[in-house]
Amino acid sequence: MLWLLNQISQFAPISPEGQLALASVLVRKEVPKGYVLLEHGKICRHLYMLEKGFARGYYTQDGRDISLWFAFEGDILASYYSFVTLKPSYTTIEILEDSTIAGVSYDQLNELYRNYPEFNLIGRLMTEKYFIELEERTLSFQFQSASERYHQLIEKHPQLLQKASLGHIASFLGISQETLSRIRAKK
Amino acid sequence: MLWLLNQISQFAPISPEGQLALASVLVRKEVPKGYVLLEHGKICRHLYMLEKGFARGYYTQDGRDISLWFAFEGDILASYYSFVTLKPSYTTIEILEDSTIAGVSYDQLNELYRNYPEFNLIGRLMTEKYFIELEERTLSFQFQSASERYHQLIEKHPQLLQKASLGHIASFLGISQETLSRIRAKK
DNA sequence: CGCCGAGTTGAACTGAATCAAGAAACGTGG
DNA sequence: CCACGTTTCTTGATTCAGTTCAACTCGGCG
């Protein structure tokens, strides 16, 4: 509980009342490796934060899956698109290591937004943070080669090498597994 | 004035006091074709909305420019990254048709956020909207071919054909001008 | 008219995909 | 603790989408 409050109050301080209100609706769960938190086609009705563990979001096309993102401790686990629009998610969220997650439901969050406007500030800042990260990722597709993207990714998240498989990383970079293997081979 | 209020109140209603406060700090400008609204390397201290006209954001690499986005009426003109972090922008914003823009400065907007928390809700919703659009764009790089990306773009924004040059569109799609010309040639 | 920027077309080249096969690592049951 | 099957990773040969460079066309405009 404390952990999540601490995490999100790094975006902006939360009043004692707000903290209490959040704590009272917060759900905390342990989920095992392999667990599917959100299934493709379902509506994402919860916003979780990954307290401990590792996860990824992926898209399925022609029978193979393509990683959209990886989540480390402190990252949000949700399909933004589905959560915001309440339309079916195209993303599947898969837990890749035994994890602890904490979060709130769509209704509860909106209740919080209504009763404690200060949460809108936090929501805005968090959205801005993820927007900027996504912008950087889009840029990398537009001007970097496969090899450049790989090296930059590993520099930013060296833990990925231990945690994610070659195939997961390759699809995240938008390249084939074989190509990534060859990139690794040279130097 | 009215126009911009109307636009952003589509995200969420604004109280009369909020409307007044916003109106009092709003700047409205006419800018000619060719005008550079934000220069690469400068800090983006204003958030404008394009009321009428057409513009694009681009990045310069090895002497050539690569389009990052196009803005139509109602779209935001700013480098989100620079505006939010107050770091130098890597984006240049160029007006492509005589335009009317309206907006607020960084300081004024934060003043609004502070005094009228309701604006945080609007800020969050607008950021979410752009986040989802960007997500779609990133996806398109991850699994679509150049030709698929082009046809989808044109389907979504047919006006682009009249407004933007082949070179601008090609760099936006992450392909060379020649390739786009060939894509056009066949069917 | 002649120039100029924008778009097209051709030919050679290249980074990455695909298909196919094999090697290594990994976990589970005996 | 080993043996087996499964999954993950590597390597090779071939193909293909898209780049690059270069020459050429077209429509406007001074």
Side-chain angles (χ1 to χ4, degrees):
Chain A
M1 292 303 199
L2 266 179
W3 180 86
L4 187 132
L5 277 172
N6 188 45
Q7 276 300 115
I8 68 171
S9 61
Q10 284 175 8
F11 287 92
I14 315 173
S15 69
E17 309 85 63
Q19 295 195 19
L20 220 59
L22 172 58
S24 75
V25 295
L26 207 59
V27 182
R28 198 150 166 271
K29 279 210 239 181
E30 309 272 331
V31 286
K33 173 174 174 172
Y35 183 80
V36 173
L37 189 61
L38 174 65
E39 230 169 304
H40 164 263
K42 298 274 172 69
I43 292 172
C44 179
R45 298 186 183 278
H46 290 268
L47 196 64
Y48 289 108
M49 186 178 270
L50 184 61
E51 192 170 319
K52 188 170 165 14
F54 185 56
R56 71 167 182 139
Y58 66 87
Y59 185 95
T60 308
Q61 194 181 52
D62 310 327
R64 13 177 219 180
D65 64 71
I66 297 169
S67 302
L68 301 172
W69 44 260
F70 297 103
F72 301 99
E73 293 171 13
D75 281 335
I76 293 293
L77 291 186
S79 159
Y80 244 100
Y81 168 76
S82 174
F83 188 80
V84 166
T85 64
L86 289 181
K87 291 181 191 160
S89 169
Y90 47 76
T91 307
T92 300
I93 301 180
E94 178 190 19
I95 303 296
L96 293 176
E97 281 178 7
D98 293 353
S99 298
T100 308
I101 63 177
V104 294
S105 74
Y106 180 86
D107 294 335
Q108 286 162 342
L109 181 62
N110 279 293
E111 198 68 17
L112 283 178
Y113 278 143
R114 194 161 359 181
N115 299 330
Y116 303 88
E118 55 185 313
F119 282 109
N120 280 296
L121 169 60
I122 294 175
R124 175 172 67 82
L125 295 175
M126 289 181 72
T127 310
E128 281 172 358
K129 176 191 155 187
Y130 283 102
F131 182 88
I132 287 171
E133 274 183 20
L134 185 58
E135 209 174 28
E136 206 179 317
R137 177 159 151 72
T138 310
L139 274 186
S140 77
F141 278 107
Q142 222 172 337
F143 350 94
Q144 295 186 313
S145 68
S147 161
E148 285 171 329
R149 265 178 280 146
Y150 172 71
H151 291 298
Q152 193 169 303
L153 178 68
I154 293 308
E155 197 177 331
K156 198 165 176 189
H157 299 290
Q159 332 95 289
L160 262 186
L161 284 179
Q162 311 348 317
K163 304 201 167 205
S165 74
L166 185 86
H168 290 167
I169 297 175
S171 73
F172 177 77
L173 293 170
I175 61 179
S176 73
Q177 169 163 323
E178 293 91 330
T179 298
L180 181 51
S181 178
R182 281 183 250 265
I183 287 173
R184 274 193 184 169
K186 58 180 66 161
K187 197 170 59 89
Chain B
M1 291 306 197
L2 265 179
W3 179 86
L4 187 133
L5 277 173
N6 188 45
Q7 278 298 115
I8 69 170
S9 60
Q10 284 175 9
F11 288 92
I14 314 173
S15 69
E17 308 84 62
Q19 295 195 18
L20 219 61
L22 172 58
S24 76
V25 295
L26 207 59
V27 183
R28 197 150 167 271
K29 278 211 240 182
E30 309 272 330
V31 286
K33 173 176 176 170
Y35 184 80
V36 172
L37 188 61
L38 173 66
E39 231 167 303
H40 163 261
K42 298 275 173 69
I43 292 172
C44 179
R45 299 186 182 279
H46 291 266
L47 196 64
Y48 289 107
M49 186 178 269
L50 185 61
E51 191 169 321
K52 190 173 165 12
F54 184 58
R56 70 166 182 140
Y58 67 87
Y59 185 96
T60 308
Q61 194 182 51
D62 310 327
R64 20 177 213 178
D65 65 71
I66 298 170
S67 302
L68 300 173
W69 44 260
F70 296 104
F72 301 98
E73 293 171 14
D75 283 333
I76 292 293
L77 291 186
S79 159
Y80 243 84
Y81 167 77
S82 174
F83 188 80
V84 166
T85 64
L86 289 181
K87 291 180 189 161
S89 169
Y90 47 75
T91 307
T92 300
I93 301 180
E94 178 191 20
I95 303 295
L96 294 175
E97 281 179 7
D98 294 353
S99 297
T100 307
I101 63 179
V104 295
S105 73
Y106 180 85
D107 294 335
Q108 287 162 341
L109 181 60
N110 279 292
E111 198 68 18
L112 283 178
Y113 278 143
R114 191 157 356 157
N115 299 330
Y116 304 87
E118 55 186 314
F119 283 109
N120 281 296
L121 170 61
I122 294 176
R124 175 170 64 82
L125 295 175
M126 289 181 73
T127 310
E128 279 172 358
K129 175 191 153 185
Y130 284 102
F131 183 90
I132 288 171
E133 274 183 20
L134 189 56
E135 210 174 27
E136 207 179 316
R137 178 159 151 72
T138 310
L139 274 186
S140 78
F141 278 108
Q142 223 172 335
F143 22 77
Q144 295 185 313
S145 68
S147 163
E148 286 171 329
R149 265 178 280 147
Y150 172 70
H151 291 298
Q152 192 169 303
L153 177 68
I154 293 309
E155 196 177 331
K156 197 164 177 190
H157 298 291
Q159 331 94 292
L160 262 186
L161 284 178
Q162 313 346 319
K163 303 201 168 205
S165 74
L166 185 86
H168 289 167
I169 296 175
S171 73
F172 177 78
L173 294 170
I175 60 179
S176 71
Q177 169 162 327
E178 292 91 330
T179 298
L180 181 52
S181 178
R182 281 182 252 264
I183 288 173
R184 275 192 184 170
K186 58 181 66 160
K187 200 168 55 86

